[in-house]
Each structure stands twice: as structure tokens, then as C-alpha cells.
Amino acid sequence: MATEGKSNLSFILNKVHDVTFQDKPVPELKSDREVLVAVNYTGICGSDVHYYDHGAIGHFVVKDPMVLGHESAGTIVSAGSAVTTLKVGDRVALEPGYPCRHCEPCLSGHYNLCPEMAFAATPPYDGTLTGFWKAPSDFCYKLPDNVSLQEGALIEPLAVAVHITKQAEIKPGQTVVVMGAGPVGLLCAAVAKAYGASKVVSVDIVQSKLDFAKEFGSTHTYMSQRVSAEENAANIKKQCDLPDGADAVIDASGAEPSIQASIHLVRRGGFYVQGGMGKPDINFPIMTLCINEITAKGSFRYGSGDYKLAIELVASGKVNVKKLISQTVPFKKAEEAFKKVKEGQVIKILIAGPNEKVE
């Protein structure tokens, strides 16, 4: 068997700042439409770090030991008899959430809103920082020959950005401002550019992030100031030549001051999309939203077609996710990697699977 002599070592969060490695049984296929994937690389998401640091995100609370990780790519090692789209040896990006397929959101094409979604590394479900991962075959996406497994691990955050940017309904020639230049914010800016936005502005409070944003594809950057939301919005309009505001503003930060400034920055009749998550409740400039008839939307994970589009953006060279990878570390250094992400030492760090060699 392909799994003989291989490790299914898993990186497990027991409680806040308490992680262990455990060799778990290799998952068994229980459906003829499932595949078993050897995980090659996994990226660290902000949500993973939040669970590591706080043990909860909103009402999702770690009550029992949980395997971390959900940004992964791997190689098919076995497939059920009804699987026709994939074969052993295929390299795939893993979509880590599995809906019920029967509820109204699922049937209407919005499966990301499924109330029964089983999402990796979201309590009570284990994640993908493990040796082998079992998945429905239609939630594994074959990577083109010119897309590496390392790039494949970044398809998940890119799909998040694709979904956010779709919500903004960006059209060629429009102007877009992205608040926050972390991985998702950077990817939103890159996707907006790929969609044909003529001006893409990245806003952050860290100059090094803005410097990288300019290299990554943003046409303009702005260092947010410690002034009122209205003043920040006015300064962005002036510095970036947006006299009427932006056609679309995306908040990828979740920070209250950023959200407030965003609403004042959207042009009359424009779009605002909330992608970043922060405090459950904030003060919100509702009057500005109303009098400018701004269309405001939330964005949650990704939905139909987002993974395929993300892969196409990478394969075509329109979004260069390689630039985001700061470092790749062996599986046994997973906790060190988490600490680096928490401290802001890297943009995106990949953890090699327990059976993957790192040079």
C-alpha cells in the first residue's frame, strides 16, 4: 500500500499554547467517491494562530484536542471506485470544508453558508496538518503541471480573496481600495488587479507591508494615520487621486477604525465588502452608508467556482503566490512556525508534511 512505512503524524492543539505531535491512524475511505491524499504542504492561516493563541474564534471553541491547519496541497494515494476525475499520483489543492449538499444554501450554489459545514481545523473538526487526509473527490482540485505543490497550498487563501473580490463586483477600469496588507489583503489587491481594476490602493499601518504590496501589484499605498475615520478617508482620496471615492472598498483587516474609514471612502453608489473579522460588534457609520446608497456585503470563505478560478489565476501567471512564501519548514518545526506568524516575522510560511523532505 502507498501508506506503508509512511507517517500520519499530526500537529494537535490541546489547549491554548499547548500543542503536541501524535501519530494517528491513517483514515480509511468509507465512500466510493472519496480520495486519500498525502499532505505535502500546509500554510498557516490567521485563524490557526488565533486558535493557538486564544482557543476560540467567536462561538467556535476548542473543547477537545484538535489537529490544526486547513491551507493544504497534496498527492492522491488512493481513490474510491466511483472517482473518475482524479487518479493516484495527481497533485491537488484541498478545499477543506464539506457541506451537507442538501440544504437551501447548498442547492442554491452558496454551499459556504451551509449550516452543517464541516470545516477543517474549526471545532470540532480536525485539520490538515497531518500525514494523510481523506476528502470527497470533488473538493480536491487537480493542479496544472506549471503549478507547484507549494503554490497549491496557497490556493485556499487565494480562493478567499477571489470570493471577497467577487462580492465587490469589480469591473475593468474601476478603482479599488483594500484595507489591510496581510496575506488575504494582498491577495485581494492582486485579484482586483487581475479583474482589470485600473487603480488598486493598499492601506496598512506597517510600512514594510505596504512596500511589499507595491511589489506585489498594488498601484498605490497609504500609511493609515492616527486621525479620525473621516480624515483618513479624505487623506487617502487626496493622496491616491480618488476625488469621488473608490468604486469598491474591501476591508481585510477587521479593525474598527479601518472599517469606519472604509465607509467614508466608498463613492456614492459604490460597494463595500467586509472580509476581515475582528470584534463581534463595532460602531458603524450607518448615516454615510445610507445617504451614499453604498452596497455593503459580508464575505465568508469561498463558494462555487472560487477554487477553480484561483487555480486559473495562478496557472496563467496573473497572481504570483510564490512571492508570498517567506519560508518552508519541516513538520517538526510547526510550533516554531506558528510563533513566527504570530510575531509577524513572515508573510506566509509553509509547513512540509511529515513525509516530505525539506532541503
Side-chain angles (χ1 to χ4, degrees):
M1 292 179 62
T3 60
E4 287 183 3
K6 301 291 186 180
S7 168
N8 195 40
L9 196 65
S10 304
F11 185 61
I12 299 172
L13 176 67
N14 299 304
K15 57 184 179 181
V16 172
H17 298 162
D18 179 1
V19 291
T20 53
F21 293 95
Q22 180 183 340
D23 207 343
K24 298 170 71 85
V26 174
E28 295 182 4
L29 302 186
K30 295 182 179 179
S31 163
D32 58 6
R33 295 188 182 278
E34 291 180 332
V35 293
L36 185 65
V37 181
V39 180
N40 296 107
Y41 297 99
T42 300
I44 300 176
C45 175
S47 66
D48 293 316
V49 176
H50 201 85
Y51 282 123
Y52 171 78
D53 219 24
H54 301 284
I57 298 178
H59 64 276
F60 295 109
V61 181
V62 178
K63 298 178 180 178
D64 300 302
M66 178 183 77
V67 178
L68 290 166
H70 63 267
E71 299 180 359
S72 293
T75 306
I76 303 290
V77 295
S78 63
S81 59
V83 177
T84 58
T85 56
L86 297 169
K87 64 182 185 303
V88 173
D90 281 348
R91 302 169 314 115
V92 294
L94 302 177
E95 183 170 350
Y98 311 128
C100 75
R101 304 174 188 263
H102 306 296
C103 66
E104 180 57 32
C106 284
L107 294 176
S108 64
H110 303 284
Y111 65 80
N112 57 314
L113 303 181
C114 174
E116 297 181 30
M117 175 70 76
F119 198 87
T122 298
Y125 304 104
D126 282 336
T128 58
L129 272 169
T130 187
F132 296 93
W133 179 256
K134 180 181 69 172
S137 60
D138 55 331
F139 280 75
C140 297
Y141 300 84
K142 186 176 178 179
L143 296 174
D145 291 342
N146 67 330
V147 177
S148 69
L149 282 161
Q150 290 92 333
E151 291 170 302
L154 293 186
I155 296 301
E156 196 275 347
L158 180 54
V160 170
V162 165
H163 192 70
I164 292 171
T165 314
K166 274 186 180 179
Q167 291 288 80
E169 298 186 23
I170 293 166
K171 298 175 179 62
Q174 289 191 325
T175 56
V176 181
V177 176
V178 181
M179 310 295 274
V184 171
L186 289 166
L187 288 168
C188 284
V191 174
K193 190 78 174 296
Y195 283 0
S198 61
K199 184 176 291 185
V200 180
V201 181
S202 286
V203 179
D204 206 283
I205 59 173
V206 180
Q207 186 60 50
S208 60
K209 289 184 177 181
L210 294 176
D211 293 341
F212 184 86
K214 200 69 176 288
E215 294 177 15
F216 196 62
S218 297
T219 60
H220 296 70
T221 60
Y222 178 80
M223 171 77 81
S224 188
Q225 307 298 313
R226 291 185 178 275
V227 294
S228 70
E230 293 93 333
E231 287 179 276
N232 256 328
N235 290 340
I236 294 170
K237 289 179 183 179
K238 182 177 180 180
Q239 181 173 310
C240 301
D241 192 22
L242 297 168
D244 299 320
D247 294 303
V249 178
I250 292 167
D251 180 74
S253 73
E256 184 170 350
S258 172
I259 295 166
Q260 293 168 341
S262 295
I263 300 301
H264 293 290
L265 189 53
V266 183
R267 67 160 172 81
R268 290 177 179 267
F271 282 79
Y272 172 74
V273 179
Q274 187 61 48
M277 294 185 183
K279 295 190 300 183
D281 299 292
I282 64 166
N283 290 317
F284 189 82
I286 192 169
M287 183 66 75
T288 301
L289 181 84
C290 291
I291 64 176
N292 288 335
E293 284 201 352
I294 294 167
T295 299
K297 297 182 181 180
S299 186
F300 189 52
R301 295 174 179 156
Y302 24 73
S304 180
D306 293 335
Y307 251 70
K308 290 182 179 179
L309 180 52
I311 290 172
E312 173 57 29
L313 287 170
V314 175
S316 65
K318 292 180 180 177
V319 177
N320 185 359
V321 295
K322 282 183 182 178
K323 286 186 175 182
L324 294 181
I325 302 172
S326 304
Q327 188 180 4
T328 300
V329 302
F331 196 78
K332 282 285 193 175
K333 292 188 176 181
E335 185 172 13
E336 293 176 32
F338 268 69
K339 290 177 180 178
K340 285 183 178 181
V341 174
K342 176 188 171 185
E343 294 165 4
Q345 296 181 29
V346 292
I347 297 173
K348 180 62 71 173
I349 192 165
L350 299 184
I351 299 171
N355 300 300
E356 191 77 16
K357 292 182 180 180
V358 179
E359 297 180 358

